Amino acid sequence: MNEHADATSVSNDASNEPTDETEWELIRQHEEPLLSVENLHVRFDTEEGAVQAVDGVSLEIQAGEIVGLVGESGCGKSVTSLSLMDLVESPGTIQEGSIQFKGDELLEMSDEEIRSVRGDEISMVFQEPSSALNPVFDVGWQVGEPLRVHRGLSESASRQRAVELMTRVGIPSPEERVDDYPHQFSGGMKQRAMISMALANEPDLLIADEPTTALDVTIEAQILDLIEELNEEIGMAVLLITHDLGVVAEICDRVAVMYAGRIVEYGDVEDIFLDPRHPYTKGLVSCVPDPTTSEKDLKPIEGQVPDLANTPDGCNFAPRCPYATKECTVDDPRLRDVADDHFSACLWEDPQ
Ligand SMILES: Nc1ncnc2c1ncn2[C@@H]1O[C@H](COP(=O)(O)OP(=O)(O)OP(=O)(O)O)[C@@H](O)[C@H]1O
Ligand code: SF4
Ligand SMILES: [Mg+2]
């Protein structure tokens, strides 16, 4: 504990009024959201114990909205996004929760039903492009696959369209590269091929897990422009998972901040950057390089994300939190509203 570790240094200490609303009821803004995730729990049963990778996540994405999902490594961002496509693999299981897309429960769909949604209405750019491209098929075949499967395009029409899509994501000489196999592509090229495949059917929702991490800044800007263009032109909603708060500030409408398997803050992008309420978000925002300061002045958040097989009592962030009080090691804070459409899972409304 440091000099802040005392209840008197925390404002609004009586404001954590209990509410009967669940987190999902609280954050719900729209009667018919495009995607509604309610109280999602995902656990991995490993030899080291049960890893609660996703611990009661609720999220809502409206048609045409770009929502950022941010948080440090190991917070559960990828597992959350894989759950949305029902792609969590053993030893992981979705224990409870609901994922509704256009009002239909994805978790109750048959394999055939979910396959008809995947790659068409919802598509995903995976964090690991190598694992998502099949080494035995050429890239053009794979980029055109969603068009053949969901839109009935012929092989030659899908190949032609693959060339157009590859052009759009900045793959040079696409007429030649369309016949290449994944091993002939660099990591960045594979990432671009994955993105072109995900955008092939102009999905209603794109889930993009660190889509530009492996790319240089020029291509990154090009891909983000393309995502924004499709967002504006066809109203494609996006769940953008990233470590890069600069990217979030540039293109997201709303932001969900994730820590240790939970959403700890959720709100409009301006509110998250200008008025962060959760100490973890405050820490992340203070790590964003400011053009007026040098990188060495940045203060990374000290400490580590807790082991998700063994989280601390009380608030998961307490061991790292500069504002932690005794209550924080006992009470388990859940999201509550701290301003209009702005939610934070801290015991205190605005610690400072
Ligand atoms: N196959 C698996 N088996 C066991 N544990 C897993 C597995 N996949 C993920 N986990 C655990 O789930 C937790 C969340 O992982 P996840 O990949 O979602 O993190 P992340 O937020 O996407 O991190 P990063 O930013 O590094 O991509 C981690 O503790 C991780 O170790
Ligand atoms: S509830 Fe958690 S985030 Fe809020 S002050 Fe306490 S330890 Fe920090
Ligand atoms: Mg990840």
Side-chain angles (χ1 to χ4, degrees):
M1 293 218 178
N2 63 16
E3 75 271 16
H4 296 293
D6 156 347
T8 56
S9 67
V10 186
S11 67
N12 304 308
D13 56 347
S15 60
N16 191 38
E17 303 276 330
T19 160
D20 290 337
E21 281 180 315
T22 63
E23 287 196 350
W24 176 73
E25 286 166 338
L26 190 70
I27 63 164
R28 241 192 124 160
Q29 293 191 334
H30 207 263
E31 273 310 301
E32 287 175 5
L34 181 69
L35 180 83
S36 170
V37 179
E38 183 182 352
N39 199 27
L40 183 69
H41 287 75
V42 184
R43 190 177 72 194
F44 290 90
D45 286 306
T46 69
E47 282 175 10
E48 288 74 43
V51 176
Q52 194 69 50
V54 179
D55 187 17
V57 161
S58 295
L59 261 185
E60 186 194 81
I61 302 180
Q62 293 170 30
E65 186 179 39
I66 306 186
V67 176
L69 183 60
V70 300
E72 285 164 295
S73 195
C75 282
K77 305 180 298 295
S78 292
V79 175
T80 300
S81 63
L82 289 168
S83 309
L84 306 182
M85 303 265 282
D86 203 13
L87 289 174
V88 175
E89 286 184 352
S90 175
T93 46
I94 297 180
Q95 297 164 281
E96 61 171 291
S98 157
I99 301 172
Q100 294 206 355
F101 180 67
K102 296 182 180 171
D104 295 329
E105 179 58 59
L106 287 180
L107 298 180
E108 282 169 9
M109 284 184 184
S110 65
D111 288 351
E112 195 184 331
E113 285 168 329
I114 196 126
R115 270 199 302 271
S116 77
V117 173
R118 230 189 259 148
D120 189 25
E121 292 172 280
I122 308 181
S123 62
M124 182 155 180
V125 177
F126 296 90
Q127 189 168 7
E128 286 299 327
S130 313
S131 57
L133 287 172
N134 190 326
V136 302
F137 295 107
D138 66 53
V139 172
W141 174 266
Q142 297 187 64
V143 171
E145 188 174 14
L147 294 157
R148 293 191 302 280
V149 172
H150 297 287
R151 300 291 147 93
L153 259 64
S154 66
E155 198 180 325
S156 65
S158 77
R159 189 162 287 263
Q160 185 47 45
R161 182 82 182 113
V163 171
E164 290 164 23
L165 289 160
M166 288 165 71
T167 310
R168 246 189 134 176
V169 295
I171 294 178
S173 315
E175 294 83 2
E176 290 147 38
R177 307 290 325 243
V178 74
D179 297 321
D180 282 355
Y181 286 82
H183 75 268
Q184 295 169 280
F185 271 45
S186 67
M189 286 295 181
K190 281 185 201 152
Q191 189 73 334
R192 285 188 247 177
M194 273 288 308
I195 293 166
S196 63
M197 196 192 319
L199 297 176
N201 285 341
E202 302 190 339
D204 297 314
L205 174 64
L206 173 72
I207 300 168
D209 194 352
E210 305 276 1
T212 58
T213 305
L215 307 177
D216 65 46
V217 284
T218 318
I219 302 298
E220 174 175 62
Q222 207 174 320
I223 299 290
L224 294 175
D225 283 351
L226 175 62
I227 290 177
E228 265 189 309
E229 242 172 77
L230 286 172
N231 167 257
E232 280 161 22
E233 280 169 22
I234 63 166
M236 174 184 78
V238 184
L239 179 65
L240 181 71
I241 297 160
T242 177
H243 284 97
D244 189 340
L245 286 186
V247 170
V248 169
E250 201 181 311
I251 76 166
C252 292
D253 302 308
R254 281 199 289 165
V255 187
V257 180
M258 199 161 181
Y259 187 75
R262 292 190 179 171
I263 305 291
V264 296
E265 188 156 1
Y266 193 32
D268 286 347
V269 70
E270 292 83 12
D271 294 334
I272 296 292
F273 279 94
L274 300 177
D275 185 22
R277 298 296 185 90
H278 194 283
Y280 180 61
T281 317
K282 288 176 192 270
L284 289 181
V285 170
S286 74
C287 291
V288 178
D290 177 328
T292 58
T293 59
S294 65
E295 291 241 357
K296 64 179 165 24
D297 293 331
L298 298 176
K299 294 183 220 79
I301 306 169
E302 282 178 27
Q304 308 279 322
V305 175
D307 174 3
L308 297 184
N310 188 18
T311 49
D313 288 340
C315 174
N316 283 334
F317 192 55
R320 303 172 73 185
C321 181
Y323 310 99
T325 65
K326 270 198 206 113
E327 290 94 324
C328 301
T329 59
V330 179
D331 296 338
D332 185 9
R334 302 308 309 239
L335 283 180
R336 64 201 180 89
D337 44 355
V338 288
D340 271 355
D341 298 329
H342 186 175
F343 310 94
S344 166
C346 174
L347 292 178
W348 321 108
E349 194 170 294
D350 191 11
Q352 34 206 322

